[in-house]
Amino acid sequence: MDAAEVGPDVIEAGTSFDNPDEQSLRALLPQCAELFLAGGATIMTAGEPCDTAYVVLEGGLDVMFDRGWGAERVLEEIGPGGMAGDVELLNGDRCLADVRARCDSRLLVLPRDDFERFLQSRPDSWSRLAERARARACRLLVAREISELFGIGSLRFADESNRRHAEQEWLAFEQEILVELEQSADWVTLERGRYLFRQGDPPDGAYVLVSGLLRVSVEDAGGGERTIARIRQGEILGEMSLITDDLRSASISALRDCELFRLPARVFALVTEKYPRSVLNVYRTVTNRFRHSLAGSAYREQVSNIALFPATPTLDLAAFSRQLIDALADYDTVELLDSAAVDQALGRPGISQSDGHEPANLRLVQWLNGREAHVGHLVYCADPEHSTWNERCLRQADRVVLIADASQDGPPNLASIQPASVEAGLRWSLVLVHPPDTERPAGTSRWLDHVEAEAVFHVRNGHRGDLARLARILSGRAVGLVLGGGGARGFAHLGVLRALEEVGIPVDMVGGTSIGAPIGGWVAQGRSAAESLQAAKRAFRALIDLTLPTTALLAGKRISRMITEQAAEQDIEDFWLPYFCISTNLTQSRVEVHRRGCAARAIRASVSIPGVLPPVPERGELLVDGGVLNNLPVDIMRELNPSGIVIAIDVVLPKSFFASEDYGLNVSGWRQLLARLMPGVRSPQTPGLANVIMQSMMVGSSHSRERLLEQDHADFYQNIHVHDVALLQFEALEEAAEVGYNESIGALRDWAASRPELFGKADTGSSRGVGGF
């Protein structure tokens, strides 16, 4: 196991000071006032703000635990020399539990400022108090989670006749088992990226997560790991080992610096032997989780923490961060953290720069994880140069983003990032900030040549629509649009774009196959629905250039020229919106995903219907229409937009290809040609060659499309039925677009009404196009 462990007896309750006698305490805390507290009086109440700590001079305090049915028990006793409230002040939390006077007691009062000054004057106390903070928080969580696990929750709903007996049985269980569980639990500290255990490991007990965030993953067929869940503070994991000795069924790794308790399996064996009814609730817990995993949809990773790193010295990262914070605030609660703000919040200069070997590190980790529990998104702003705080930003982040001034020449400056971090294969995103009057980005490839970014996003400085789009993408709320293939019927996509605009649904990234590739490209360039319609009218006026069919029916010169003109010699990474299209690699028998490089060449490959248009040669391999293998690439979009929304528009008609008559087992093309030239000659009605090729291609990918839709990759799916337009009837553009609008407007309006999170809390200020331009 890759975890660091600390024994349970690191610190005993109530021993915050080396010398607990009153004379020593007075010498340590000469300015503190006294407080006399009558026995039974409450000095701290769970859930209320805490701004004071108390040191016991005489008498004693009890930390109470709510059993859940109106009764309490003493979780911890604090005697003379002990302290209450220190845990809360150290972690920045509200009161964790009720604290009462066990008898008439005399206390020293330490307001927050005095407490902070004391810690600064006694650095040796940091480690001891930090361990105590962890001990009490852990003990409270363990008590609560174990109580729920073994059935305390059921007591709240028991009928009156059985309740008294159930309470008595629970009290016996508590006295014999629960206290031993709490005292025998092992500490475990787990750094970001390390594994608690791996799939196939033997079980060693169950765990309760006290602080941090864990990833649950399983091995996939390719030997990699697939995330299936996240575990947050207070949750129990590995509970299957309470029931069976089977090997671990999944791997657990840290997404934050984490603290856990391990509950040894030997204690649960005792529970099974002496209190079998309590184990029934464990069985119910495991069964319910298993059923939920079977019934639930595919896991969608959530983004909580975003780390911003400067990549150019000319960019004011602090100012840009504030703009981004304002945009994020339209969708969720958000807080900006930089090293100075953290130092100020914790009242200790330099604490943000503490590393794992310093006593202050534990306080910092607990405070940061505590902030994460209170807000939707934490935005970590890195220092201009490499620092310990910057390393902390990397460890705490779900998403790491480099921010660069796009107008600056030369490679990015990565001085704020430790070289080892880049070499470790961390996944980065790049945001290029353009001047406000920029019409279209250019030269993005030179940035990507120096930064291995998984995605690049373009933003005009101060542009509300661009910032709103970036906020949705970085926070995991992006709307991805997928446009499927289907020949001229795909012009229905143009009507769907119009419907999206009218309803007000933003499009933050787009991908397509075949006819969906050029239409999606116009959206990614920032064109509105009306502009895309006009572009389509210009582009598809005269595309048919028949040739001797040695390789294909069409020469492809006209459609290639059209695509090149519309792409405006841009690379895909120069589009305003993230964009992809797919083609089929005939040489490798696989799907080819185009996310970088020449946009015209990628789109031309995506529309290369086999037998109709010539394949596109690429690095010695041949590429044809993406619809051969994947005509609706919702899976690709889901990979790019794992926690956001995916809208998928399909234009393939179900059972749309029939035989007009039985023409037998052979067809004479010569006779068909003669029938066209001579009205008196009759030839049987047969499907056209191009239609046969197109429909065969659709059939080839239909099973793939159905499988992807069954896997719940799309949040909104609609099949637009364009019955009266043939697959190659490009002159019916406006007719197909109108069908697309009429069929989608109502469905999109109803769906959007059920998804208010699409629109945030304020107008994004976009005034042009579905991309917010």
Side-chain angles (χ1 to χ4, degrees):
M1 184 176 62
D2 295 334
E5 300 179 10
V6 182
D9 57 349
V10 169
I11 182 172
E12 297 178 2
T15 57
S16 295
F17 300 99
D18 294 326
N19 302 300
D21 60 278
E22 182 173 346
Q23 184 177 357
S24 299
L25 291 173
R26 287 290 189 185
L28 289 172
L29 307 168
Q31 305 296 327
C32 293
E34 283 192 14
L35 173 68
F36 292 89
L37 199 64
T42 298
I43 195 170
M44 297 174 64
T45 303
E48 291 189 354
C50 179
D51 56 7
T52 307
Y54 305 91
V55 181
V56 179
L57 297 177
E58 293 179 356
L61 302 175
D62 289 335
V63 179
M64 308 304 297
F65 175 74
D66 184 355
R67 287 190 173 102
W69 73 84
E72 295 178 311
R73 69 181 176 92
V74 177
L75 185 67
E76 179 183 348
E77 295 181 354
I78 303 175
M83 185 182 293
D86 54 327
V87 174
E88 290 79 359
L89 293 183
L90 198 63
N91 295 344
D93 290 331
R94 291 175 178 268
C95 296
L96 299 178
D98 289 351
V99 179
R100 295 186 190 136
R102 187 183 318 117
C103 55
D104 291 349
S105 301
R106 190 162 55 94
L107 313 175
L108 282 179
V109 181
L110 280 79
R112 182 185 299 274
D113 291 343
D114 291 339
F115 179 77
E116 293 285 352
R117 278 194 294 270
F118 166 74
L119 291 180
Q120 293 173 22
S121 66
R122 292 291 302 269
D124 58 310
S125 297
W126 273 101
S127 179
R128 188 175 308 146
L129 289 173
E131 290 294 347
R132 178 172 178 176
R134 180 167 66 173
R136 183 176 293 166
C138 287
R139 196 170 184 192
L140 283 167
L141 281 169
V142 168
R144 182 170 66 240
E145 293 300 323
I146 295 303
S147 297
E148 291 295 332
L149 182 66
F150 286 110
I152 189 66
S154 62
L155 290 175
R156 292 192 292 267
F157 307 105
D159 58 62
E160 193 62 34
S161 60
N162 295 324
R163 178 167 175 169
R164 185 180 296 259
H165 174 73
E167 289 177 1
Q168 292 300 319
E169 183 175 348
W170 175 260
L171 292 174
F173 170 84
E174 180 183 276
Q175 184 175 4
E176 183 174 3
I177 301 295
L178 187 58
V179 173
E180 183 177 352
L181 272 173
E182 294 169 359
Q183 294 177 348
S184 63
D186 295 327
W187 300 95
V188 177
T189 297
L190 196 65
E191 293 183 355
R192 163 81 179 248
R194 300 184 71 182
Y195 281 82
L196 182 65
F197 52 75
R198 295 179 185 268
Q199 187 174 343
D201 285 351
D204 60 347
Y207 294 82
V208 174
L209 180 62
V210 176
S211 175
L213 185 67
L214 294 169
R215 171 184 179 238
V216 184
S217 60
V218 295
E219 296 179 1
D220 58 26
E225 288 190 350
R226 176 173 57 88
T227 301
I228 59 173
R230 284 187 173 191
I231 295 174
R232 299 185 179 275
Q233 179 175 327
E235 295 187 34
I236 193 165
L237 60 141
E239 72 276 8
M240 189 66 73
S241 65
L242 313 184
I243 303 169
T244 176
D245 288 330
D246 288 346
L247 301 179
R248 297 291 191 188
S249 59
S251 297
I252 304 291
S253 57
L255 292 173
R256 307 275 191 274
D257 292 346
C258 296
E259 298 169 26
L260 309 94
F261 260 130
R262 183 175 63 200
L263 308 174
R266 62 177 175 79
V267 180
F268 292 106
L270 182 62
V271 175
T272 304
E273 178 183 351
K274 302 197 68 173
Y275 297 92
R277 282 189 12 172
S278 294
V279 180
L280 292 177
N281 194 64
V282 177
Y283 278 99
R284 284 194 293 268
T285 299
V286 174
T287 302
N288 289 339
R289 288 186 178 181
F290 181 69
R291 287 175 177 172
H292 179 74
S293 66
L294 290 179
S297 58
Y299 171 75
R300 297 186 181 179
E301 185 172 341
Q302 299 299 311
V303 176
S304 297
N305 295 353
I306 304 164
L308 306 181
F309 282 77
T312 52
T314 57
L315 180 77
D316 186 344
L317 181 60
F320 181 82
S321 299
R322 289 191 293 270
Q323 292 181 27
L324 181 59
I325 288 291
D326 290 341
L328 283 166
D330 282 338
Y331 300 94
D332 207 343
T333 54
V334 60
E335 184 173 341
L336 179 64
L337 296 177
D338 58 21
S339 55
V342 171
D343 290 349
Q344 182 178 6
L346 293 179
R348 184 181 176 191
I351 191 173
S352 62
Q353 305 294 345
S354 61
D355 60 30
H357 304 290
E358 299 178 52
N361 177 70
L362 185 56
R363 182 190 183 198
L364 176 60
V365 170
Q366 291 174 330
W367 186 83
L368 291 175
N369 289 337
R371 296 311 306 149
E372 185 174 343
H374 289 88
V375 298
H377 300 287
L378 289 179
V379 177
Y380 287 80
C381 187
D383 295 332
E385 301 292 331
H386 174 254
S387 65
T388 306
W389 167 251
N390 288 8
E391 294 178 9
R392 177 84 58 187
C393 293
L394 292 174
R395 293 203 304 272
Q396 291 292 118
D398 296 312
R399 192 159 198 161
V400 182
V401 186
L402 285 172
I403 314 293
D405 181 353
S407 63
Q408 179 175 306
D409 294 328
N413 174 24
L414 303 181
S416 63
I417 306 165
Q418 192 176 29
S421 301
V422 180
E423 296 168 2
L426 288 174
R427 301 173 67 184
W428 303 85
S429 296
L430 174 65
V431 172
L432 292 177
V433 183
H434 300 267
D437 57 350
T438 302
E439 291 188 6
R440 62 177 56 181
T444 306
S445 60
R446 69 181 175 87
W447 294 94
L448 296 178
D449 289 341
H450 293 89
V451 179
E452 294 186 6
E454 65 171 358
V456 59
F457 309 117
H458 297 281
V459 176
R460 283 163 291 194
N461 199 3
H463 190 285
R464 293 184 62 196
D466 290 1
L467 287 164
R469 181 179 69 251
L470 180 63
R472 289 189 295 269
I473 291 174
L474 295 183
S475 65
R477 294 171 174 266
V479 178
L481 176 65
V482 180
L483 304 177
R489 293 169 183 157
F491 291 137
H493 295 319
L494 298 165
V496 175
L497 298 181
R498 175 185 161 198
L500 288 168
E501 281 190 4
E502 288 191 13
V503 176
I505 299 174
V507 175
D508 301 311
M509 51 185 69
V510 63
T513 301
S514 196
I515 188 67
I519 296 176
W522 295 327
V523 176
Q525 286 177 318
R527 303 193 192 195
S528 67
E531 290 169 337
S532 297
L533 179 64
Q534 293 305 314
K537 289 179 179 180
R538 293 191 300 270
F540 288 92
R541 271 193 309 236
L543 294 181
I544 306 301
D545 51 357
L546 295 171
T547 187
L548 187 66
T550 55
T551 301
L553 294 175
L554 304 181
K557 183 177 181 179
R558 293 180 181 176
I559 194 169
S560 298
R561 183 173 62 246
M562 175 275 293
I563 291 173
T564 301
E565 290 174 354
Q566 295 293 333
E569 298 183 354
Q570 281 186 292
D571 289 335
I572 291 175
E573 58 265 34
D574 289 331
F575 286 175
W576 281 112
L577 272 63
Y579 167 83
F580 74 88
C581 63
I582 69 169
S583 63
T584 300
N585 189 317
L586 292 181
T587 306
Q588 299 289 338
S589 300
R590 70 183 185 197
V591 170
E592 200 79 28
V593 182
H594 303 273
R595 297 185 60 201
R596 285 194 62 183
C598 177
R601 196 170 188 87
I603 294 171
R604 171 64 177 79
S606 187
V607 302
S608 296
I609 304 168
V612 177
L613 286 167
V616 172
E618 186 73 19
R619 301 182 302 275
E621 299 173 348
L622 293 175
L623 307 180
V624 297
D625 197 301
V628 172
L629 293 179
N630 190 346
N631 198 51
L632 192 67
V634 290
D635 55 330
I636 308 299
M637 181 59 79
R638 181 53 71 194
E639 290 177 6
L640 301 178
N641 189 26
S643 59
I645 291 170
V646 173
I647 297 174
I649 305 299
D650 199 356
V651 292
V652 174
L653 292 177
K655 297 182 180 180
S656 61
F657 209 49
F658 298 94
S660 300
E661 62 177 276
D662 186 353
Y663 48 80
L665 302 181
N666 57 81
V667 174
S668 171
W670 298 109
R671 184 172 183 83
Q672 288 182 320
L673 177 61
L674 186 62
R676 291 181 183 180
L677 298 175
M678 301 179 64
V681 177
R682 185 187 180 281
S683 176
Q685 295 185 17
T686 60
L689 174 59
N691 283 333
V692 170
I693 294 172
M694 279 287 294
Q695 194 64 34
S696 299
M697 189 176 69
M698 298 297 103
V699 170
S701 64
S702 62
H703 294 297
S704 171
R705 183 181 71 252
E706 292 172 4
R707 175 178 55 82
L708 294 175
L709 292 173
E710 288 174 358
Q711 292 175 351
D712 198 31
H713 287 298
D715 298 278
F716 177 90
Y717 167 79
Q718 188 170 16
N719 191 322
I720 308 294
H721 295 169
V722 190
H723 293 285
D724 298 328
V725 175
L727 289 170
L728 297 179
Q729 193 178 349
F730 295 121
E731 67 274 11
L733 184 151
E734 290 185 280
E735 178 184 345
E738 193 65 21
V739 172
Y741 172 80
N742 291 332
E743 288 205 13
S744 65
I745 183 64
L748 285 170
R749 185 176 287 120
D750 292 343
W751 176 75
S754 68
R755 304 297 295 263
E757 70 273 14
L758 285 171
F759 309 101
K761 293 179 286 187
D763 178 27
T764 62
S766 59
S767 59
R768 181 180 177 217
V770 293
F773 298 98

